Amino acid sequence: MNAAVPSAPAGDGREERPRRAGPREHVAAAVGLLDRPLTSYYLVLGCSIMLLALGLTMVLSASLVQQIQATGSAYTLFQKQAMWMAIGLPLMWLASRLPVRTFRAFAYPLLLLSIVALGLVLVPGLGHSAGGATRWISLGPLLVQPSEPAKLALVLWGADLLARKERLGQLNEWRPLLVPLLPGAGMLVLMVMLGSDLGTTLVLLTIFLALLWVVGAPGRLFVGMAGLVCLLVAILIIVEPYRLQRLTGYLDPSQNQYTTNYQGTQGQLAIASGGWLGTGLGEGRAKWDFLPHAETDFIFAIIGEELGLVGTLVVLSLFGLLAYAGLRIARRVRDPFTRLAAAGATAWVVVQAIVNIGAVIGVLPITGIPLPLVSYGGSALIPTLIALGMLLAFAKREPGARQALAARGPGPVARALSWLGLARRQ
């Protein structure tokens, strides 16, 4: 008969080892982090900074060969992009500190300014055309694309308009819901369409549909508007021969690989040659005059070639986290304008990223829109940074966010000002 094993006497100095946390505990801890008041704030800020850093690095890598040939310096576009970032980041910081009423005050002036600027694009001598589209205003050495601020204008104006109607209880019928939202959005879309810019037209229509969805438009009305958008896009494709060629090339990529399908084919070859870990930063071959517009529309292909599948998954993860943060803000805030503007801005950035990446990997037709925060171009970068700064301002209005910020203490900017003796005395 086996004797019972005696238990260790108390106080013998031996202690039980702590039990290792299992997968469930790790998942619970991760979910707990996502439930914190400032999660949205730090996700928007962190994803934006990482995408900006990656974008600046890849702009240098993607453009150095072409710029050495054109200007003798590999850093020409890199320096310009860094300059745009130096302008956009302070604007992002300023937007993150503005009250909601300031964004609402800017809505109507920005909409009017966008319509005027889009009209100037169509003026002979001022408008600049490239790639079949007239998108830019030529201001000496600078090319400004007014359709980019128009996205921000539609977000602010549409959110303000619907928030006012919701407060007055005027969203029960389709007429007050669509008027004047539909004519205003239609004016912006028409101005962009006259410049043959299908990519920006898609983004503006996406913002319009996102606002209708968040405000709770009836299902029939939303489906009808979505069908109208699809019909409009089909008409835009049919009336322009080069767009129709892109569509047929997308449907049959094996044809015309050296003409209309050349850019898409080279982009997919670049991604395929990257493998798991890529060829190495700066070691890609597609930028050696094989892939057109490598630093703008097809910078994702350079990321796939030089950083491999891992690099592309990092980019997708950052945009996925940005989408989660933006929708979290829209779900948690109480103010109707804040909810609508957050959803509209998130739809703008995320859908534009999806359309760009989808075109590069061949699951969507090529539309010629840049990858937000990553592609070269100041006209797209600055409005996007302002929109992200607006999301940061809205994130501070989530439940418990103000208390968490107050408990955190002064930020680095406030500390720097205090060191200089410029901080406001309490």
Coordinates of all heavy atoms in Angstrom, one line a residue, residues 372-414:
P372 N -2.5 56.8 -49.7 CA -2.4 57.8 -48.7 C -1.2 57.7 -47.8 O -0.9 56.6 -47.3 CB -3.7 57.6 -47.9 CG -4.6 56.9 -48.9 CD -3.8 56.1 -49.7
L373 N -0.6 58.8 -47.5 CA 0.6 59.0 -46.6 C 1.8 58.3 -47.1 O 2.9 58.6 -46.5 CB 0.2 58.4 -45.2 CG -1.0 59.0 -44.5 CD1 -1.2 58.2 -43.2 CD2 -0.8 60.4 -44.2
V374 N 1.8 57.6 -48.2 CA 2.9 56.8 -48.6 C 3.4 57.3 -50.0 O 4.6 57.6 -50.2 CB 2.6 55.3 -48.7 CG1 3.8 54.5 -49.2 CG2 2.2 54.8 -47.4
S375 N 2.5 57.6 -50.9 CA 2.9 58.0 -52.2 C 3.5 59.5 -52.2 O 3.1 60.2 -51.3 CB 1.7 58.0 -53.2 OG 1.3 56.6 -53.4
Y376 N 4.2 59.8 -53.2 CA 4.8 61.1 -53.3 C 3.7 62.1 -53.7 O 2.8 61.8 -54.6 CB 5.9 61.2 -54.4 CG 6.3 62.6 -54.8 CD1 7.1 63.3 -53.9 CD2 5.9 63.2 -56.0 CE1 7.5 64.6 -54.3 CE2 6.2 64.4 -56.3 CZ 7.1 65.2 -55.5 OH 7.4 66.4 -55.8
G377 N 3.7 63.3 -53.2 CA 2.8 64.3 -53.6 C 2.2 65.1 -52.4 O 1.7 64.6 -51.4
G378 N 2.4 66.5 -52.4 CA 2.0 67.3 -51.3 C 0.5 67.6 -51.3 O -0.1 67.8 -50.3
S379 N -0.1 67.7 -52.5 CA -1.5 68.1 -52.6 C -2.4 67.0 -52.0 O -3.4 67.3 -51.4 CB -1.9 68.2 -54.1 OG -1.2 69.3 -54.7
A380 N -1.9 65.7 -52.0 CA -2.7 64.7 -51.4 C -2.3 64.5 -49.9 O -3.1 64.2 -49.1 CB -2.5 63.4 -52.1
L381 N -1.0 64.8 -49.6 CA -0.5 64.5 -48.3 C -1.1 65.5 -47.2 O -1.5 65.1 -46.2 CB 1.0 64.6 -48.3 CG 1.7 64.4 -46.9 CD1 1.4 62.9 -46.4 CD2 3.2 64.6 -47.0
I382 N -1.1 66.8 -47.6 CA -1.5 67.8 -46.6 C -2.9 67.7 -46.2 O -3.3 67.6 -45.0 CB -1.1 69.2 -47.1 CG1 0.4 69.4 -47.1 CG2 -1.7 70.3 -46.2 CD1 0.9 70.7 -47.6
P383 N -3.9 67.6 -47.1 CA -5.3 67.4 -46.7 C -5.5 66.1 -45.9 O -6.3 66.1 -44.9 CB -6.1 67.4 -48.0 CG -5.2 68.1 -49.0 CD -3.8 67.7 -48.6
T384 N -4.8 65.0 -46.2 CA -4.9 63.8 -45.5 C -4.4 63.9 -44.1 O -5.0 63.5 -43.1 CB -4.1 62.7 -46.2 OG1 -4.6 62.5 -47.5 CG2 -4.3 61.3 -45.5
L385 N -3.3 64.6 -43.9 CA -2.8 64.9 -42.5 C -3.7 65.7 -41.7 O -3.9 65.5 -40.5 CB -1.4 65.5 -42.6 CG -0.2 64.6 -43.0 CD1 1.0 65.4 -43.2 CD2 -0.1 63.5 -42.0
I386 N -4.4 66.7 -42.3 CA -5.3 67.5 -41.6 C -6.5 66.7 -41.2 O -7.0 66.8 -40.1 CB -5.8 68.7 -42.5 CG1 -4.6 69.7 -42.7 CG2 -6.9 69.5 -41.9 CD1 -4.9 70.8 -43.7
A387 N -7.0 65.8 -42.1 CA -8.1 64.9 -41.7 C -7.7 64.0 -40.6 O -8.5 63.7 -39.7 CB -8.5 64.1 -43.0
L388 N -6.5 63.5 -40.6 CA -6.1 62.6 -39.5 C -5.9 63.4 -38.2 O -6.2 62.9 -37.1 CB -4.7 61.9 -39.8 CG -4.8 60.9 -41.0 CD1 -3.5 60.5 -41.4 CD2 -5.7 59.7 -40.5
G389 N -5.5 64.7 -38.3 CA -5.4 65.5 -37.1 C -6.8 65.8 -36.6 O -7.0 65.8 -35.4
M390 N -7.8 65.9 -37.5 CA -9.2 66.0 -37.1 C -9.7 64.8 -36.3 O -10.4 64.9 -35.3 CB -10.1 66.3 -38.3 CG -11.6 66.4 -38.0 SD -12.6 66.7 -39.5 CE -12.4 65.1 -40.3
L391 N -9.3 63.6 -36.8 CA -9.6 62.4 -36.1 C -9.0 62.3 -34.7 O -9.6 61.8 -33.7 CB -9.1 61.1 -36.9 CG -10.0 60.8 -38.1 CD1 -9.3 59.6 -38.8 CD2 -11.4 60.5 -37.7
L392 N -7.7 62.8 -34.6 CA -7.1 62.9 -33.2 C -7.9 63.8 -32.3 O -8.1 63.5 -31.1 CB -5.7 63.4 -33.4 CG -4.7 62.5 -34.1 CD1 -3.3 63.2 -34.2 CD2 -4.5 61.2 -33.3
A393 N -8.4 65.0 -32.8 CA -9.2 65.9 -32.0 C -10.5 65.2 -31.6 O -10.9 65.3 -30.5 CB -9.5 67.1 -32.8
F394 N -11.1 64.4 -32.5 CA -12.3 63.7 -32.2 C -12.1 62.6 -31.1 O -12.9 62.3 -30.3 CB -13.0 63.1 -33.4 CG -13.5 64.2 -34.4 CD1 -13.8 63.8 -35.7 CD2 -13.6 65.5 -34.0 CE1 -14.3 64.8 -36.6 CE2 -14.0 66.5 -34.9 CZ -14.4 66.1 -36.2
A395 N -10.9 61.9 -31.3 CA -10.6 60.8 -30.3 C -10.5 61.4 -28.9 O -10.8 60.6 -27.9 CB -9.3 60.2 -30.7
K396 N -10.2 62.6 -28.7 CA -10.1 63.2 -27.4 C -11.5 63.4 -26.8 O -11.6 63.7 -25.6 CB -9.4 64.5 -27.4 CG -7.9 64.5 -27.8 CD -7.3 65.8 -27.9 CE -5.9 65.8 -28.4 NZ -5.3 67.2 -28.6
R397 N -12.5 63.2 -27.6 CA -13.9 63.4 -27.1 C -14.6 62.1 -26.8 O -15.8 62.1 -26.5 CB -14.7 64.2 -28.2 CG -14.1 65.6 -28.5 CD -15.0 66.3 -29.6 NE -16.3 66.6 -29.0 CZ -16.6 67.7 -28.3 NH1 -15.6 68.6 -28.1 NH2 -17.8 67.9 -27.9
E398 N -13.8 61.0 -26.9 CA -14.4 59.7 -26.5 C -14.6 59.7 -25.0 O -14.0 60.4 -24.3 CB -13.5 58.6 -27.0 CG -13.4 58.3 -28.5 CD -12.6 57.1 -28.8 OE1 -12.6 56.2 -28.0 OE2 -12.0 57.1 -29.9
P399 N -15.5 58.8 -24.5 CA -15.7 58.7 -23.1 C -14.5 58.4 -22.3 O -13.8 57.4 -22.7 CB -16.8 57.6 -23.0 CG -17.5 57.6 -24.3 CD -16.5 58.0 -25.3
G400 N -14.1 59.2 -21.3 CA -12.9 58.9 -20.5 C -11.6 59.4 -21.1 O -10.6 59.4 -20.5
A401 N -11.6 59.9 -22.4 CA -10.4 60.3 -23.0 C -9.8 61.6 -22.4 O -8.6 61.7 -22.1 CB -10.6 60.6 -24.5
R402 N -10.7 62.6 -22.0 CA -10.2 63.8 -21.4 C -9.5 63.5 -20.1 O -8.5 64.1 -19.7 CB -11.3 64.8 -21.3 CG -11.8 65.3 -22.6 CD -12.8 66.5 -22.4 NE -13.3 67.0 -23.7 CZ -12.7 67.9 -24.4 NH1 -11.5 68.4 -24.0 NH2 -13.2 68.3 -25.6
Q403 N -10.2 62.7 -19.3 CA -9.6 62.3 -18.0 C -8.3 61.6 -18.1 O -7.3 61.8 -17.4 CB -10.6 61.4 -17.2 CG -11.9 62.2 -16.8 CD -12.9 62.2 -17.9 OE1 -12.6 61.9 -19.0 NE2 -14.1 62.6 -17.6
A404 N -8.2 60.7 -19.1 CA -6.9 60.0 -19.3 C -5.8 60.9 -19.8 O -4.7 60.8 -19.4 CB -7.1 58.9 -20.4
L405 N -6.1 61.9 -20.6 CA -5.2 62.9 -21.1 C -4.7 63.8 -19.9 O -3.5 64.1 -19.8 CB -5.7 63.8 -22.2 CG -5.8 63.1 -23.6 CD1 -6.6 64.0 -24.5 CD2 -4.4 62.8 -24.1
A406 N -5.6 64.2 -19.0 CA -5.3 65.0 -17.9 C -4.4 64.2 -16.9 O -3.4 64.8 -16.4 CB -6.5 65.5 -17.2
A407 N -4.6 62.9 -16.8 CA -3.8 62.1 -15.9 C -2.4 61.8 -16.5 O -1.5 61.6 -15.7 CB -4.5 60.8 -15.6
R408 N -2.3 61.9 -17.8 CA -1.1 61.6 -18.4 C -0.1 62.7 -18.2 O 1.1 62.5 -18.2 CB -1.3 61.4 -19.9 CG -0.1 60.9 -20.7 CD -0.4 60.9 -22.2 NE -0.6 62.3 -22.7 CZ -0.8 62.6 -23.9 NH1 -0.8 61.6 -24.9 NH2 -1.1 63.8 -24.3
G409 N -0.5 64.0 -18.0 CA 0.4 65.1 -17.8 C 0.6 65.8 -19.1 O 0.1 65.4 -20.1
P410 N 1.5 66.8 -19.0 CA 1.8 67.6 -20.2 C 2.5 66.8 -21.3 O 3.3 65.9 -20.9 CB 2.6 68.8 -19.7 CG 3.2 68.3 -18.5 CD 2.2 67.3 -17.9
G411 N 2.2 67.1 -22.5 CA 2.9 66.4 -23.6 C 4.3 66.9 -23.9 O 4.7 67.9 -23.2
P412 N 5.0 66.4 -24.9 CA 6.4 66.8 -25.2 C 6.4 68.3 -25.6 O 7.4 69.0 -25.3 CB 6.8 65.9 -26.3 CG 5.6 65.3 -26.8 CD 4.6 65.3 -25.7
V413 N 5.4 68.7 -26.4 CA 5.4 70.1 -26.8 C 5.3 71.1 -25.6 O 6.0 72.1 -25.5 CB 4.3 70.4 -27.9 CG1 4.3 71.8 -28.3 CG2 4.6 69.5 -29.1
A414 N 4.3 70.7 -24.7 CA 4.1 71.6 -23.6 C 5.4 71.6 -22.7 O 5.8 72.6 -22.1 CB 2.9 71.1 -22.8

